[in-house]
Structures are given as structure tokens and as C-alpha cells.
């Protein structure tokens, strides 16, 4: 299972620029869009400083970004299993991985509308879209390949094969697409 804070940390470590800079050779500008701020200001500050490398966040009061992604609800996503023991074990694995990575969260705010990711070229507009599928990590290597193409770079073998942990003890499946039919 992958959560927003985990994805934000991974994306900002791969692509994000340090606050105040506007990219440079081989860098891109990374921006975040949030749907609420008044519910938990400290949570937004913590997210931006601890997990998003101080990259810019923008408030989408009208939720246009979320509407463009289909305003999909977390509650509409099917479970990979109806077995409560399997679900509990997967949740425990997730919590263990978050603890290992020192990722803390809270249960404040709306939290049921799924987000996603756009890679936007200044000349070609949206060149890549990823809809959030809670429980699966973003395809980081695929995103990195799209970014490299935009920058006119070829990925090194190490970059092309870079993956987040595939250790079965830390991988948690939460969808039929990543777990198969359980």
C-alpha cells in the first residue's frame, strides 16, 4: 500500500527542487495541489516540510484538479480481499513500513477523494497522467522515464531499474491489479 506522504517523499527525492530554486539542468519543478487547509494547517506544514522537500503547494478550493481526475472516491475502490484477517495483516505490514520509513500521518481532513499525478510539459501540455490507486505505489520508474524524455535525457540503467522496495515483507497489496484474485 502506498500513501500520499510516501509518494510525496519518493517523488520529491527523485524530481523535486529545493525550495526557492526553479530547477536547473536535469531538474523539474514539482508542485502539489491540496483540497483543504483550514482543517489541519499544521498537517499541511508538516507534509510540505517533512515529505515534500518544501516544494510549492497550491490550494484547489473548487477541486478542479480532482474533478479533472474524475473525483473518484476511495470508498469506490474495490478491496482485494473480503477476508478480514488478510486485510488486517496487510494493514499491519503497511503500518510497519510507514514506521520503518519514519512516515507519520493523521486522520484529519476529508481523505476520501483520490488524487493523482500529471506530468506537464511547457510546450505540449499534459504528457502523462496517473490516477491514484490506493494500495499501489506510483509507477516511479515509468514517471522517471517520461520526465527524462521531456528533459531530453536517457536514463542510466540504474535509474531505469530503480524501484521502491520490492521486498515481499514490506510490499502490501491492496488491489486486485497488484495482488491477483484473492
Amino acid at each position: 500500500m502506498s500513501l500520499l506522504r510516501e509518494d510525496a517523499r519518493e517523488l520529491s527525492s527523485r524530481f523535486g527542487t529545493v525550495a526557492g530554486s526553479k530547477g536547473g539542468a536535469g531538474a523539474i519543478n514539482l508542485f502539489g495541489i491540496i483540497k483543504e487547509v483550514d482543517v489541519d494547517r499544521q498537517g499541511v506544514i508538516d507534509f510540505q516540510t517533512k515529505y515534500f522537500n518544501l516544494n510549492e503547494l497550491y490550494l484547489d478550493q473548487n477541486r478542479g484538479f480532482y474533478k479533472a481526475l474524475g473525483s473518484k472516491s476511495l470508498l469506490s475502490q474495490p478491496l482485494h480481499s473480503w477476508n478480514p484477517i488478510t486485510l488486517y495483516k496487510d494493514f499491519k505490514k503497511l503500518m510497519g513500513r510507514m514506521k520503518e520509513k519514519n512516515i507519520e500521518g493523521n486522520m484529519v481532513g476529508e481523505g476520501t477523494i483520490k488524487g493523482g499525478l500529471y506530468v506537464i510539459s511547457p510546450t505540449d501540455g499534459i504528457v502523462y497522467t496517473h490516477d491514484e490507486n490506493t494500495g499501489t505505489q506510483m509507477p516511479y520508474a515509468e514517471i522517471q522515464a517520461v520526465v527524462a524524455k521531456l528533459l531530453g535525457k536517457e536514463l542510466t540503467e540504474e535509474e531505469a531499474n530503480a524501484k521502491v522496495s520490492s521486498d515481499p515483507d514490506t510490499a502490501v497489496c491492496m488491489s486486485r491489479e497488484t495482488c491477483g484474485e484473492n
Side-chain angles (χ1 to χ4, degrees):
M1 179 178 231
S2 181
L3 299 174
L4 174 62
R5 290 170 188 243
E6 183 179 27
D7 286 331
R9 180 180 280 167
E10 183 67 27
L11 291 171
S12 64
S13 70
R14 288 184 186 224
F15 308 115
T17 57
V18 177
S21 72
K22 288 297 177 192
I28 64 168
N29 292 314
L30 187 63
F31 304 98
I33 300 173
I34 58 175
K35 60 184 171 284
E36 58 192 356
V37 74
D38 292 331
V39 176
D40 183 21
R41 282 193 187 280
Q42 188 58 50
V44 172
I45 292 167
D46 288 348
F47 172 80
Q48 188 176 27
T49 56
K50 292 179 183 177
Y51 306 104
F52 205 51
N53 199 26
L54 295 174
N55 287 288
E56 296 178 41
L57 292 175
Y58 293 92
L59 177 62
D60 181 8
Q61 290 179 324
N62 296 326
R63 297 189 180 174
F65 173 75
Y66 299 92
K67 290 174 187 170
L69 288 169
S71 294
K72 296 176 184 140
S73 170
L74 174 66
L75 303 175
S76 68
Q77 183 173 310
L79 294 174
H80 73 284
S81 173
W82 286 101
N83 182 333
I85 295 170
T86 300
L87 295 173
Y88 176 77
K89 286 180 180 179
D90 286 347
F91 182 75
K92 291 294 282 184
K93 285 182 189 177
L94 168 69
M95 292 296 101
R97 193 174 80 234
M98 295 302 110
K99 184 176 181 177
E100 182 181 297
K101 292 181 175 184
N102 199 27
I103 295 175
E104 299 173 352
N106 62 40
M107 300 299 276
V108 178
E110 190 276 327
T112 62
I113 297 176
K114 297 189 325 182
L117 172 114
Y118 286 140
V119 175
I120 303 171
S121 161
T123 56
D124 300 325
I126 297 171
V127 296
Y128 179 85
T129 303
H130 172 75
D131 292 338
E132 177 184 0
N133 185 10
T134 304
T136 60
Q137 293 178 326
M138 287 185 168
Y140 301 119
E142 186 177 298
I143 296 165
Q144 195 157 356
V146 170
V147 169
K149 184 177 177 184
L150 282 176
L151 295 174
K153 289 178 40 177
E154 290 200 28
L155 292 178
T156 65
E157 187 174 329
E158 183 179 316
E159 289 172 326
N161 294 323
K163 293 197 180 353
V164 178
S165 174
S166 59
D167 179 347
D169 291 335
T170 60
V172 178
C173 58
M174 293 296 289
S175 73
R176 294 179 193 273
E177 293 156 358
T178 57
C179 303
E181 300 291 324
N182 284 345

